[in-house]
Amino acid sequence: MSTTTPKILIVGGGYAGFYTAWKLEKHLRKGEAQVTIVDPLPYMTYQPFLPEVAAGSIEARHAVVSLRRHLKRTRVLTAKVTGIDHATRTATITPEHGEPWQESYDQIVVTAGAVSRTFPIPGIADNAIGLKTIEEAVAIRDRLFSNFDKAATLPPGPERERLLTVVVVGGGFAGIEAFAELRSIASALLEKYPELSFDETHFHLIEAMGRIMPEVSLETSKWVMKSLGQRGAAIHLDTQVTGAVDGIVELSTGESIPSDIIVWTAGVMANPTVVRGSDLPVEERGRIRTRADLRVGTDEEVVEGAWAAGDISAVPDLTGGGVGGYCVPNAQHAVRQAKLLAKNLVAVLRGEAPREYIHKNLGAVAGLGLYSGVFQSGKIALKGFIAWCAHRGYHGLAMPSWERKWRVLWGWWNNFWLGRDIVNLSTVQSPRYVFEEFAARPKPPAASTAPTEKTPAAS
């Protein structure tokens, strides 16, 4: 490859990063550019499936997309980008093992996504878990299944009920879906645990606002609350978490909820490692300032050679439907922005003008456990089974690549006939525990029994 071949560096392998690389492979001519993607994980996570992974409805590996398998002509680096010096067109690449190095580029695409945004509430950092990664979804699933195993061996009482209590903080789409899916699997698990009763399981959703799911109409929101209430779930509106020390969730209402599973879904923020380590312009909410054509900059000024998309970027919403004038951070925007970004980047390389991103929100769809869901598009609202079918249909088709689609659809088909897989694999976190328990170890050297020779006294 010629040394004059433009180098494109993509920071982040999530929705926006993966789709940008995927589409660049489609639009670039052979030898037209060299594309490198950097992410600490070797896969893209399809985040809408995380609640179903946590509920055992989808196999964890089926909810992720291997970067190396599906990016045929892209250089994949499993590492972090810890610094961007756009003035010199270099980025600092930091692998898990080995020394960092400087990677030069001609065009940079920042798509490092978002992480869970928390507040300095006592106990949250030590006891809660987010739901942004596949590892978190698996940990929640295994913790719930493990807790049922433990509770079944205990006599009725506070400790048993603490193990069977789940608290979800945040009433947006992510929180509601996780909450509903976990309630659904917990109810199903009771059939396998005759020692436990439904009344011993407690599910609490904590929301600081006066309603849940602001993405849907108030009427639809109330229907969701009623549906969850009928399934034995408690929703606390206008309530904040003030503490979670030792797993005791303290609420602003004065209530205390002992729980062994605290799931935090109350907001996200742009990846701080990338944003703070960059010299690219940042707006007041900590996102990279991005133009409507997905180049970094403002209407008045363009940062040449820099692009951004997805949750880490502040992209103007030209439809007028965004929050504060910007596109909301969701998969619907990230995927479409990435597809246009790839086209625009190729256009700029060829001396053509980029196009502006315009996408009107198609609506919102959420799963609320097996056979129940909600869909909202404008004034049209679907609820219950038909919305659940719409949810699975939409996300099943939206999963990138037919290879991944078939794995997810095949898993759903198997679960329909065989039921959800409720195997608890929590011990995978310490895979050597059996080996270590029974492994033979060398005996400590025997203490010497020879008499110690005394030093003669000085004459």
Side-chain angles (χ1 to χ4, degrees), residues 94-155:
T94 304
E96 184 176 359
H97 304 287
E99 294 298 318
W101 75 88
Q102 300 299 309
E103 183 83 11
S104 63
Y105 62 83
D106 298 293
Q107 303 279 337
I108 191 167
V109 179
V110 185
T111 55
V115 299
S116 296
R117 182 192 62 182
T118 58
F119 307 101
I121 300 170
I124 287 295
D126 299 318
N127 297 298
I129 186 170
L131 191 56
K132 289 288 292 177
T133 68
I134 196 70
E135 293 82 3
E136 289 173 325
V138 170
I140 292 169
R141 178 198 68 189
D142 287 344
R143 173 69 67 87
L144 182 66
F145 293 176
S146 178
N147 282 3
F148 267 75
D149 289 332
K150 294 175 184 177
T153 65
L154 295 174

Side-chain angles (χ1 to χ4, degrees), residues 10 74 115 198 443:
I10 301 174
T74 300
V115 299
F198 181 87
K443 294 181 179 180

